[in-house]
Amino acid sequence: MIGLNWARSSNIDSARPAGARKEVSDHILYLAWLAQSPSIELNAAQTTQVAEFLSSSSWTISTLAAEVLLQRGQIAMPSQLKHLSSRELSSHSIADDGAFSSRINVEHYDAFELLHPAYARQVVAVAEDIYTFLQPTDITAVVDVGTGPGVPLLMLREMLPGRSFVAIEPDDVAIGCLMANLQGVSDVTAVQKDFLSYESTASSVPLITSIGASHHFNTAFMMQKAMQLLCPAGLLVVADEFLPPFSRQDERNVALVLHHSAYLLHTMQWLGDGTANDTDIERTIYKEFRRSMTQAWISAREGNGVRAVSICRELYMKMRHEGLSKTPDGDIGSFVRFFWLELQAMVAGFDYEVEQKSHPLRFAELAAFAGFELVSHRRIFATIGESDWAGGTHVFAFRKPAFLP
């Protein structure tokens, strides 16, 4: 199913403590609720109020407000996007073969991933799980794994004020974007290192988070390393995209097309034909994305995975030759760049072993194998299937047993 947001919970502890949400601001919770429930109509006064949130200095609030308005047919941009899209970094590293930045344009990702459906909502869900399963006084330090350019961490930081963070990111290009985003931020320490080689006192970390990065790791090793670092009863919270269960390469490729297409087509249905300030060039590219991704989705739904993959690869090659700059000419241009990022992620899923994502059940099984207890699981955005364990954006919370050293 496309464009549906499923709020059904498969929490192990289904009855959350009454105070689990009180630490997150009312404005964030209100906007996240609206974004999770796009069929709720807003009157003129409510629409105006949400539009005012767009200019908020809060990464979380501004991004949520843009998603809420887009769902209701009003094209809007988070206030931070203009700065990120116009910023030129002083130095540009060359991506190593096999690195994240060799497959994804990280500088574009830094800015335009803000337009990804449920991008801020997943971080709100992470914060809710943290406050549900840890006492606020126990959250003394946070280790964030695979931070990338760091926008989700900046959002989480807003909901975990007064804590210190260690951001672990191995990629040369991503760490450059991260350092630029952390200018003036004193409570986050960036460490350029692979998580498996990160050194800290064993059993000393109360909280480890990973947002949008778990499929870039050897999952089994990541879980074992997290278990080693966490203190007894410590928490590992992971938000990421997952495919539905698969057993063969062709099944996985079809799932990749359906999964990534769902995020794009969900966005396109609200964009319509764009706005008056869009240039002819970017409107043409937008229409090409809409045509190609619709055809690919239909082919995948019909079981013609070879044709679906072929359509996506052809579009990928066309977009590589377009050479999109970081600065869009209009609103549609910003979304085109997000679509281009999603297409890069899809093709990476076809071609790179490290991108061959596990599905949610297998992810939970690998965590259990490492010794974790699953305490919460939610699918906050559905891309394929009706089961809570099918494709989409998922948030997991795992606890290290208190009896382990």
Side-chain angles (χ1 to χ4, degrees):
M1 294 188 178
I2 293 180
L4 294 178
N5 298 285
W6 294 79
R8 295 184 304 176
S9 170
S10 57
N11 291 343
I12 305 304
D13 295 342
S14 57
R16 290 175 175 271
R21 297 163 64 91
K22 69 180 181 181
E23 301 290 342
V24 180
S25 80
D26 290 341
H27 286 160
I28 289 176
L29 293 177
Y30 171 64
L31 290 169
W33 174 70
L34 287 177
Q36 193 70 37
S37 311
S39 63
I40 294 176
E41 296 183 4
L42 302 180
N43 59 33
Q46 291 169 326
T47 300
T48 299
Q49 180 190 39
V50 173
E52 290 174 351
F53 285 130
L54 286 172
S55 59
S56 171
S57 60
S58 163
W59 292 86
T60 314
I61 290 176
S62 181
T63 305
L64 285 170
E67 182 175 20
V68 168
L69 292 173
L70 180 63
Q71 290 172 341
R72 289 149 181 85
Q74 181 174 327
I75 298 177
M77 301 290 164
S79 61
Q80 292 82 0
L81 190 145
K82 183 177 181 180
H83 164 69
L84 291 175
S85 63
S86 62
R87 182 179 66 191
E88 292 291 338
L89 296 182
S90 58
S91 62
H92 299 273
S93 301
I94 298 175
D96 295 330
D97 290 342
F100 174 60
S101 55
S102 70
R103 303 184 295 278
I104 304 292
N105 186 320
V106 174
E107 287 198 44
H108 284 206
Y109 181 93
D110 182 30
F112 301 107
E113 196 72 0
L114 284 169
L115 301 178
H116 194 295
Y119 191 61
R121 272 187 285 153
Q122 66 180 339
V123 188
V124 177
V126 167
E128 288 180 323
D129 280 353
I130 290 169
Y131 284 121
T132 296
F133 300 107
L134 287 177
Q135 293 296 320
T137 53
D138 293 336
I139 312 170
T140 54
V142 185
V143 172
D144 188 67
V145 181
T147 304
V151 171
L153 179 59
L154 291 171
M155 293 180 182
L156 183 62
R157 175 177 170 269
E158 293 174 349
M159 290 175 275
L160 296 175
R163 275 78 178 188
S164 61
F165 298 82
V166 175
I168 303 174
E169 173 54 52
D171 187 275
D172 287 339
V173 181
I175 200 75
C177 292
L178 175 61
M179 296 304 296
N181 285 334
L182 292 180
Q183 288 185 10
V185 175
S186 61
D187 52 7
V188 180
T189 301
V191 177
Q192 186 176 7
K193 184 168 289 190
D194 182 90
F195 178 54
L196 299 182
S197 61
Y198 173 68
E199 296 179 0
S200 181
T201 305
S203 303
S204 64
V205 179
L207 175 62
I208 297 175
T209 58
S210 180
I211 302 173
S214 67
H215 57 278
H216 302 307
F217 300 102
N218 179 312
T219 305
F221 290 172
M222 171 196 174
M223 292 291 185
Q224 293 169 36
K225 180 68 174 183
M227 177 64 73
Q228 173 192 338
L229 295 178
L230 283 171
C231 63
L235 202 65
L236 167 66
V237 186
V238 176
D240 209 348
E241 298 177 28
F242 289 89
L243 301 180
F246 58 86
S247 57
R248 303 191 313 270
Q249 177 79 15
D250 59 333
E251 288 181 346
R252 195 180 66 81
N253 283 347
V254 167
L256 277 164
V257 174
L258 292 173
H259 172 77
H260 289 286
S261 296
Y263 290 116
L264 300 190
L265 297 179
H266 168 83
T267 304
M268 291 174 187
Q269 70 177 331
W270 299 113
L271 285 174
D273 293 327
T275 62
N277 72 346
D278 302 318
T279 64
D280 290 340
I281 292 176
E282 294 195 330
R283 190 186 297 272
T284 298
I285 296 173
Y286 169 62
K287 289 180 178 179
E288 176 65 19
F289 260 106
R290 189 165 61 180
R291 181 188 66 81
S292 296
M293 296 314 302
T294 301
Q295 291 178 349
W297 184 84
I298 292 172
S299 296
R301 287 283 292 179
E302 292 175 344
N304 192 344
V306 173
R307 172 168 165 73
V309 170
S310 176
I311 292 170
C312 294
R313 288 192 182 280
E314 182 178 346
L315 180 60
Y316 176 83
M317 294 306 298
K318 287 181 181 179
M319 291 305 304
R320 284 192 65 181
H321 293 304
E322 286 291 342
L324 289 174
S325 70
K326 191 178 179 183
T327 304
D329 293 328
D331 292 338
I332 282 294
S334 294
F335 284 98
V336 161
R337 283 153 180 80
F338 158 59
F339 299 158
W340 174 220
L341 288 169
E342 201 68 18
L343 182 61
Q344 291 172 60
M346 183 195 302
V347 173
F350 295 149
D351 294 338
Y352 293 90
E353 183 178 358
V354 71
E355 291 282 348
Q356 295 178 3
K357 306 175 186 179
S358 176
H359 55 73
L361 276 173
R362 186 173 297 160
F363 188 72
E365 289 168 354
L366 289 170
F369 183 78
F372 280 105
E373 173 192 4
L374 175 63
V375 293
S376 176
H377 164 244
R378 287 182 281 172
R379 182 172 68 152
I380 64 168
F381 189 95
T383 56
I384 312 172
E386 298 185 9
S387 164
D388 289 335
W389 296 93
T393 302
H394 292 251
V395 179
F396 291 87
F398 302 101
R399 182 161 50 203
K400 178 177 180 176
F403 57 78
L404 290 181

